Amino acid sequence: MTPLDNTSSQPGIFDRSALVRGLGEAAARLADIVAMQAQDQQRSLYLVGGVLRDLLLGQRSADLDFVIESDASTFARGLQKRYGGQVHAHQPFGTAKWSLSADSADRLGLPLADLPQHIDFARARSETYAEPAALPDTKPGSIVDDMQRRDFSVNALALRLSPNAPYGQLLDACGGLQDLRNQQIRVLHDRSFIDDPTRILRALRFTTRLNFKINAQTAVWLRDALPMLGRVSGARLRKEIDRIMVEKPASEILLRLNDLGALKEIQPGFRPSKRLADDLKRAKEQEPPWQSADIDAPALRWCLLLGAHEDTVARCIAKRLDLNRRQINSVSATCRILAIAEDLADPLRRPSEIAPRLEKLPPTALHAAWLLLHDSSSAQERLRLTMQRWRTIRPCTTGHDLRARGLPPGPHYKRILEQLRSAWIDGDVQSCEAERALLQRLLESGEYAQGDQPSARLL
Ligand code: ATP
């Protein structure tokens, strides 16, 4: 039995024990403390959004997301004054984030480990869209306005915590409870996807995660709005795809978006690989056999998602989605490694042919390629050798040594030193002495005689 089942016997009421079951004792107590503060200041305060949806479905949730019908940053700062922590306000949207510290947990008398890292407050607002896919213009509004600006009915529920009589009154201005019971994702009006096409990605994310269906009319509006995705900024789309990629059914969501034609509206050629589910799973379970501490997790996911694309296509997608320069470089390098996978696995290719193609590439790309090339142990081995041996090999001879031998400086210094290094990488020399003998042979060969310097003089 979930709290949702209870709402049919006790319409509009959500009891506190359900809050404790969903949030845990400490976070529920924190919600009480926040509610008391609102009560003292005679402010209306509501628990809203995904957390409430999940609580109603009987799922645990770690977030606390509140709407207050007054200034959110003033309210959050009041809590900060009393309980410490940090407040970051974002005035254009009237939102404030209260981050809790160890000191605030002490002052609240609650265990820090059981509390969310931060609590989000937003002033109840209404929104209008001047043009499709633009950011909305907002103005302060009522809780009902705030529910009506939301993406889906199941996310447009509010639990009143202040004034707190009767306790836990559920506000369902958009029919969200019925849709939760019917297990369907429904937008609140016909222009919803046009106003904000990122809701297309969100609709597929929630439908897949919750195993819901999309309401029939919503599905029609969603398809009609697909071309609008082209108008959304890369950063907003990336944020939603980043959120998709940390979902359990990430690849299913992306494949469904692909089948719908949503990804090609974002950027032609954008297509997730059918193996993405396995690749993401492997990324969670396996690590390459080298130290990979400085891996940027979102960048790694992007490499896995885009690695099988052709390099130029992947770069266009990465740029369209406003990935940062380092992420774009990692994605592009992953594509290039995959493109030479056959060479990597070919035993006839000497290590010194392979190393220069790999060793300067970003570690995130080598990590991703190691995961993606799981079915080629020889290619994986060459990636391992790059990271664990080849990258650090330096010949014993330096430019100073060449000079001391009377070789006039020039671009051939680099070539000689590279040749010595290659010999180490291939295992042809294994000591400084052997390297010196090789150097001697190279210089005697006359290959590196320069300009007016007769090769005989070099010896
Ligand atoms: P999750 O369960 O993945 O944390 P969530 O439902 O909490 O997701 P968020 O993206 O954290 O979703 O947003 C919180 C709430 O803000 C949503 O439940 C929804 O009501 C509202 N919201 C978020 N994005 C949009 C949007 N693009 N359009 C309208 N409302 C939105």
Side-chain angles (χ1 to χ4, degrees), residues 216-368:
Q217 178 63 73
T218 295
V220 173
W221 289 332
L222 185 150
R223 278 180 197 279
D224 288 350
L226 285 173
M228 291 293 153
L229 281 165
R231 295 200 189 195
V232 184
S233 76
R236 287 176 65 203
L237 291 168
R238 187 194 63 242
K239 204 169 133 230
E240 286 301 336
I241 299 175
D242 272 333
R243 297 188 68 174
I244 289 174
M245 280 202 286
V246 293
E247 294 277 344
K248 235 185 183 158
S251 91
E252 197 187 332
I253 302 170
L254 288 164
L255 290 169
R256 290 178 73 177
L257 283 165
N258 186 52
D259 292 347
L260 258 175
L263 300 186
K264 70 173 191 317
E265 293 291 348
I266 292 174
Q267 179 68 34
F270 186 5
R271 206 173 298 115
S273 116
K274 297 249 183 305
R275 296 180 359 182
L276 183 65
D278 293 339
D279 296 334
L280 291 171
K281 186 159 171 273
R282 201 170 301 109
K284 280 194 197 125
E285 293 168 355
Q286 292 178 21
E287 287 223 338
W290 61 82
Q291 267 288 343
S292 54
D294 56 348
I295 293 299
D296 167 2
L300 179 65
R301 287 192 288 270
W302 280 106
C303 292
L304 297 177
L305 176 58
L306 300 179
H309 289 73
E310 205 218 310
D311 183 22
T312 46
V313 176
R315 284 188 88 88
C316 288
I317 301 169
K319 283 187 187 156
R320 163 71 178 101
L321 294 173
D322 212 12
L323 267 65
N324 65 39
R325 185 170 292 280
R326 283 184 63 181
Q327 292 173 329
I328 295 175
N329 288 341
S330 293
V331 164
S332 162
T334 309
C335 300
R336 281 179 279 133
I337 299 175
L338 260 68
I340 58 162
E342 274 184 25
D343 287 355
L344 293 191
D346 182 352
L348 297 176
R349 300 262 173 194
R350 303 209 84 197
S352 59
E353 271 181 79
I354 300 292
R357 301 164 85 175
L358 297 179
E359 60 194 0
K360 300 245 167 62
L361 301 180
T364 307
L366 277 102
H367 187 130

Side-chain angles (χ1 to χ4, degrees), residues 49-51 53-54 63 65 149-151 155 196 198-199 202 205-206 209 243 247:
V51 55
R53 176 200 67 222
D54 293 344
D63 294 339
D65 212 345
R149 71 169 181 86
R150 290 181 182 253
D151 46 4
N155 288 343
D196 181 352
T198 67
R199 292 175 187 158
R202 296 176 62 82
R205 179 159 71 88
F206 291 121
R209 184 213 289 173
R243 297 188 68 174
E247 294 277 344

